[in-house]
Amino acid sequence: MEMETALSELGVNDDLLDAKTKAQLDNDGFAPLPGILSPEQVAALRKRLAELSRIEGSRAGEEVHQEAGTERLSDLVNKDPMFEVCFTHPVVLAAVRHVLGEFRLSSLNSRAALPGRGHQGLHADWGVLQEGQGYQVCNSIWLLDDFTAENGATRVVPGSHRKRGIGPADELDGDPRATHPDEIQLIAPAGTVVVFNSHLWHGGTRNNSDRPRRALHSYFTRRDQPQQLDQAEYLRVRTRDRLSPAALYLLGV
């Protein structure tokens, strides 16, 4: 199978993104896609993530990453069919294709910033791009709670994905946890998906509310780059059996 065949079978076409969204991805490095998830989907995803967190306990997230002050889960491709939407939704895939061209899923994880915690240093997901290097990675945040200024909404530095040869620490006196003068927060309601070129400088902020701030992250990479989680190694037989050939192609298996 080829990339365009797989995307076509999943309903991706050139009409799914308007000019404004494409310009946001090109110029700002991110674009919010409102209403991707229904309220019913959001509620079901929250419930399932809570169940998985209870089941996995201290092991939760260990396939990829554990982070103090957060609840993380990893390898969600294998943990419930309801997560399939995060790597097959046609509008999201159209946005990722706009950034990367040919790609595959790198990982599918969740992150919940706990009250009083969750602040991250500004970072890019692939390190510092050098002159002549094209974009290698693209991420998407699936908002399962409203992202607000209070509850730890992700901060981004618009346009920073176009910088070459420098990282956030170079502009923040060596402290990427500091506030960047150009940063903004991604404020949006639950059900929104924010697709962002993940060379964009970004990071979670402190959750100053009294409840977790929950999100899913489906992270994509160019097909010639290694995955954050080796999908072929982790893929379970029952997952392979239920997924379409096009979905399996997007997993790179």
Side-chain angles (χ1 to χ4, degrees), residues 21-149:
T21 301
K22 292 177 181 178
Q24 284 181 301
L25 288 168
D26 292 340
N27 299 324
D28 296 333
F30 67 94
L33 306 174
I36 295 291
L37 295 174
S38 69
E40 294 76 18
Q41 285 176 299
V42 169
L45 288 164
R46 288 173 180 166
K47 180 180 179 182
R48 184 58 177 141
L49 290 173
E51 291 170 347
L52 289 169
S53 290
R54 287 194 295 270
I55 292 167
E56 297 188 19
S58 62
R59 299 179 294 105
E62 66 182 4
E63 300 98 331
V64 171
H65 180 57
Q66 295 178 313
E67 177 189 359
T70 69
E71 292 180 350
R72 282 186 174 265
L73 290 161
S74 301
D75 188 29
L76 293 176
V77 169
N78 285 304
K79 293 180 180 177
D80 200 293
M82 73 171 64
F83 297 118
E84 185 177 340
V85 65
C86 297
F87 61 94
T88 61
H89 195 286
V91 179
V92 174
L93 295 180
V96 176
R97 177 177 65 174
H98 183 77
V99 175
L100 293 181
E102 298 204 354
F103 61 90
R104 58 181 178 168
L105 184 75
S106 185
S107 61
L108 176 54
N109 311 312
S110 69
R111 180 180 186 268
L114 300 177
R117 308 293 296 277
H119 187 78
Q120 297 176 313
L122 285 172
H123 61 280
D125 289 337
W126 197 78
V128 175
L129 278 177
Q130 303 301 321
E131 290 296 335
Q133 285 187 315
Y135 300 132
Q136 305 296 319
V137 285
C138 184
N139 214 331
S140 61
I141 311 174
W142 298 65
L143 280 59
L144 301 183
D145 290 294
D146 295 345
F147 271 35
T148 70

